[in-house]
Amino acid sequence: MMDAGRHPNIEVLTNSELVRFEGRAGNFRATVKKYPRYVDEALCTGCGQCVNDCPVIVPNEFEVGMGARKAIYSPFPQAVPNTYIIDRVNCLNDQFLVCTNCQKSCDRDAIRYDDIGEEIELHVGAVVVATGFDVYEASRIPSYGYGLYHNVLTNMELERVLNASGPTRGHIVRPSDHKVPKKIAFIQCVGSRGEGKEAGCEYCSRFCCMNAVKDCMLVKQHEPDIEELLLFYIDLRAAGKGFEEFYQRSLDMPELKYIRGRPSKIMEDPETKDIFVYVEDVETGKVDKIRVSMAILSAGAVAAAANPDLANVLGIELDENGFFEVETRYGSPLHTARQGVYICGCAAGVNDVSDSVSQGSGAAAEAEKFIEKIPVETEPVEIKELDTSGPPKVGVFLCHCGINIAGVLDIDSLKEYAESIPDVAYVENNLFLCSDEGQRLMQNKVVEHGLNRVVAAACTPRTHEPVFQESCEQIGLNPYLFEMVNVRDQCSWVHTGVPEIATEKAKEMIKLGVAKARHLQPLYRKSIPVNQSALIIGGGVAGMAAALELDAQGMKVYLIEKEGRLGGRLNNLTRVYPANLSAFELARVMVEKVKASRVEAMAGTEVTGITGYVGNFDVATTNGNFKVGTIVLATGAGIYEPKDEFGYGKFDNVITNQELEDILHDTKGKIQIHGDTPKNVVFIQCVGSRDAETNPGCSRYCCPTTIKQAIRLRESGVNVTVLHRDMRTVGAKAEEHYRRARELGVKFLRYTPQRLPLVTGKDNRATSVEILELALDRILDVDTDYVVLAAGMVPNEASTAKLQDILKVPRGADGFFMERHAKLGPVETTSEGVFLAGCVSGPKDIADSLAQGSAAAAKVASIISRDTVNLEPTTCIIEPSLCRACSMCVDMCEYHAPSLVDIAPGLRAAQINQALCKGCGTCASWCPTGAIVALHFTDQQINSMLDALLLDRV
Amino acid sequence: MAQRPGKANGVLVLGGGITGIQAALDLAASQAKVYLVEKTPSLGGRMAQLDKTFPTMDCAI
Amino acid sequence: MAVRTQQAKKKTKKEFIPNIVVFACNWCSYAGADNAGTNRMQHSPHFRVIRTMCSGRVTPGFVLKAFKLGADGVLVSGCHFGDCHYIFGNYKAVEQFEKTKGLVKTLGLDLKRVRLEWVSAAEGVRWANLIDEFVGQIAELGPSPLNHKPKYG
């Protein structure tokens, strides 16, 4: 978030809306209306002084109405931009009222009561629509009493309650009596998977199941004395990487009980304000009235209310649920019918965070095709570097931050103290050091007094260090000669009640900063040349999508595929949901596009070795060697091969879903299995999924696949029964297809892992399946001509292990490649320049794989669209004379940055590859000889801080 | 806005939530000029309102 | 928290003020301390933070030096497992900390004087509570035997 606010290529227009849009892809004209903020963004420093003086208190939207804010406010503490805003509806300065408190309190004179906003004309090549969703109004289901009963909250409200900075400071209390609840009910599918008159939406909102499981765990963490957590659900949909494992962990919580059933109504006990949940447990058939202290409604996601207007402006369509309509022709979830306009995240339907992030990157790649990339001009001004070789001359700059610091700490006393610290040559204070004038002051004084180290006692380096460093750089002072002391966030703000002690503490903090500054050394950002090309390993949908995107952007791409032809799994499928596309056609179109492009596609080729680092990989294959700058792993996954489960191998008519797919493929529409038309077919779900022994994860693709196949069979008159644990029909239109299957007469029966279905038969043919019907508590015999096992998706062990060995990219406990971050970096790895796309990181369907292919292309483009990559200089280096080549650092580094090299004949020492090192400094901490120097956090710097702190105390 | 002939070099990203931010950052990294338009006064979207995210329990901000 | 510091102020008898060094990793714990600030979570001021990029950077030598120079307590704080910016740096910190504890014991110091904790960037409350609790614990233990100039106030 902060990164987007600071990026020189990103102009953030908040409080703004698109109002007009015309033109065609590559050449759109867009008009954005920027609504007035009434506070000047250029002047406001976000100090918050005005808030203290504002007399108006209104409910805070960010806290879902549970907290309060003033009429002048910042939406939340980490808001970007941190400019305040006046809510003029509630403000007491209008035609008749004349409150000017905020204007008076603002030292920077940033208040603009007469702000009228502006319209901005933009010339853009493409548009990415990422407008998200709205939360379902839980009050639309009157029988759940939301808004009527005190102790019925929504999941969004609970999120804020759980948050340490939320309205209750992270304590869970009942709104009615502010007591900690003993029993909490979580009610799923509120507004999702709707049926009947209190319908809500028909689709599944996808994230609420996992969100509720997470909230149960958090509630327990926050309030360990909680007695009971009841989670009422229809199907527990833990369909995503690591989700099933997370759900399984929650089963170990003795307080948490899962109850399968959708409550019919909720009532309040008028005296105790307790909540009664009326529900039928569909597993026992028991109807119950359960007393709880509080109920949480898992409100689903609905299309944003603003969608129709925006669709109108953009000239695109909405689907039947009010989301933006996806053009499904390409199989990818990112296209709209209008070229140059792309959708991602929850604008086109409900997605969880990691899929949204992938789609965001994917949409970026699509958009990049329509623009001319013009490097943002960096000023070519030559800056002469200041000579800093002499003894340290430290400048200390004290920021008041309005009254945020100066209101608590005694600035004069700090100044006097700072002047007394040895090596401090100059001390100055300023009202807002981060403002333009503050920065200029700092620059002038550095030059004027010949300072060679700078310490700023102000706010946190996490947000403001880059600002100060940039200013240092502008005058030729190496930015790594700057040190920041956080006397606001970690002193004046948290020791407000004890100003004398806080001032003493701030003095010591400044002394520590100066102690470190004395030993700071200039460091230089290195840049290494980039080979502007990409290697994509795996010619399935994800790999081909990535290759085509990059080719369209004019990049050099090598696409290698182990098998004899491109297409991957698509070659083995008939139809692709949700749009019922022909897999054959989709594969044919993509393969032809690849052939027509400049992509160097090599089928029947395998990687044999890769060395190097971002920008400079040397690749060896069975079909020649070449150099690339980036690598995408898109080698897909394997399908679980049943051993002897459910009579597989014993009975000829027990087949896997892939075998059924092949049969449907071969018989071209006629449903004939080995020449017979079957009457009864039974599907068994979760074979080789959700099983600790074979594969702990949920394979995600199999429920929708079974639905697709079941509908196909049922439409040909076959009786279909599906035996499942939870029907996890997440994803676009999957829930709607599930409903359709039920309407067509497909039967769904649930089984539990404790009592698996039993396939029985004679000779080599299965004839029936025994299953315990849970509600009736009776064994049912289902006649069958065919049993179809929905086989899970597992890592392709041989190829993944080999690639792991070659590239040193870590794999998770599930055997799939690990992403940099499960949510925020779904296509990145910990190795820079190496990306993931498709099922190589976990089970995905075709649409998600395509989106990830595009996403990986965007990541690749961000590296190879430049001639060089910049490396942060705060890495670790090795002093070879101290190294005795013990290889401890080599063994421990997750990034494989250190390696042993010959530094002289017969003399070995470790060397750290600066392109791979992330600068965590862990190796420096472990090095037995002290040969490793963690730059900017050296032993000398830290030790001198300890000396300053403990040897001569204030 | 300087009006250049031919292709534009800007991309309009509508929505300043996690998805829009991701799109904007990737575009910017590939040297596109990005206009990130958000209806509310701050970036962040829904994700900023969440306490923690599953399954790794990372903080959401 | 605030109450405690006020109480401390009221007391006329001079109380021992512990000298505590806190090593906080840049990505989680330092950010958690900032988060406590953003939320104005008042807590004891009797500690000083040294920022490192990762908790794995904190070598036993730093902790020992702190004790040698008279620190009364040392806290090392990193990211929760699974949150580490450098994947497994905090696991490495655990291994280092085991060594540290052994050495602290050899110095003859109470092991309660040294601690390894996890605080995430969102856990300002946890940070404030942790600091109060640790400062309280060290205050109870009294000055370190190696602290030759204990401070009272």
Side-chain angles (χ1 to χ4, degrees), chain A residues 1 7 9-11 13-17 26-27 29 37 62 76 78-80 121-128 130-131 133 156 159-160 162-163 210-211 214 243 246 306 344 356-357 360-361 364 368-369 371-375 821 823-824 859 861-862 866, chain B:
Chain A
M1 195 160 83
H7 202 291
N9 279 18
I10 303 178
E11 191 171 327
L13 301 164
T14 52
N15 220 23
S16 305
E17 231 173 341
N27 220 334
R29 230 154 266 292
R37 211 179 172 102
F62 184 74
F76 57 100
Q78 298 88 341
V80 174
E121 292 284 330
L122 302 170
H123 181 211
V124 294
V127 181
V128 172
T131 45
F133 63 95
M156 215 54 181
E159 286 291 338
R160 295 315 303 154
L162 284 168
N163 192 285
M210 287 312 288
N211 201 63
K214 174 201 76 175
F243 292 6
F246 187 77
C344 51
S356 296
V357 169
S361 296
E368 278 165 29
K369 289 185 293 204
I371 53 166
E372 203 159 318
K373 290 176 188 171
I374 297 166
H821 189 286
K823 294 279 164 201
L824 305 178
K859 298 290 176 191
S862 70
R866 295 158 192 266
Chain B
M1 269 284 38
Q3 304 210 343
R4 294 171 214 276
K7 272 186 177 179
N9 71 332
V11 176
L12 183 63
V13 176
L14 303 175
I18 183 71
T19 312
I21 291 175
Q22 187 60 53
L25 286 173
D26 285 332
L27 283 161
S30 296
Q31 315 198 4
K33 172 77 192 165
V34 184
Y35 304 97
L36 180 55
V37 174
E38 164 62 38
K39 211 165 53 169
T40 72
S42 170
L43 300 182
R46 291 277 165 217
M47 183 100 170
Q49 274 181 303
L50 301 181
D51 182 42
K52 296 238 163 64
T53 61
F54 54 81
T56 54
M57 290 291 200
D58 286 358
C59 49
I61 282 195

Side-chain angles (χ1 to χ4, degrees), chain A residues 242-309:
Chain A
F243 292 6
E244 174 68 17
E245 291 89 331
F246 187 77
Y247 163 52
Q248 292 297 332
R249 276 211 304 284
S250 77
L251 295 176
D252 296 337
M253 272 169 65
E255 299 84 2
L256 174 54
K257 293 195 179 64
Y258 286 94
I259 299 168
R260 216 162 109 84
R262 181 178 218 156
S264 57
K265 66 174 173 181
I266 290 175
M267 300 289 273
E268 182 181 64
D269 178 342
E271 266 173 44
T272 60
K273 304 288 180 197
D274 280 354
I275 299 295
F276 293 112
V277 179
Y278 293 78
V279 66
E280 179 194 345
D281 183 333
V282 295
E283 273 171 19
T284 58
K286 207 174 123 202
V287 180
D288 217 343
K289 172 182 168 187
I290 301 170
R291 180 189 282 268
V292 294
S293 347
M294 196 166 152
I296 309 296
L297 306 180
S298 283
V302 292
N307 284 3
D309 288 343

Side-chain angles (χ1 to χ4, degrees), chain A residues 816-866:
Chain A
F816 289 103
F817 279 116
M818 225 162 85
E819 316 84 340
R820 178 183 63 79
H821 189 286
K823 294 279 164 201
L824 305 178
V827 299
E828 290 147 88
T829 68
T830 51
S831 302
E832 226 164 313
V834 181
F835 303 101
L836 306 170
C839 297
V840 70
S841 60
K844 271 164 212 80
D845 61 20
I846 299 289
D848 287 340
S849 298
L850 283 165
Q852 284 215 328
S854 302
K859 298 290 176 191
V860 166
S862 70
I863 293 175
I864 64 173
S865 62
R866 295 158 192 266

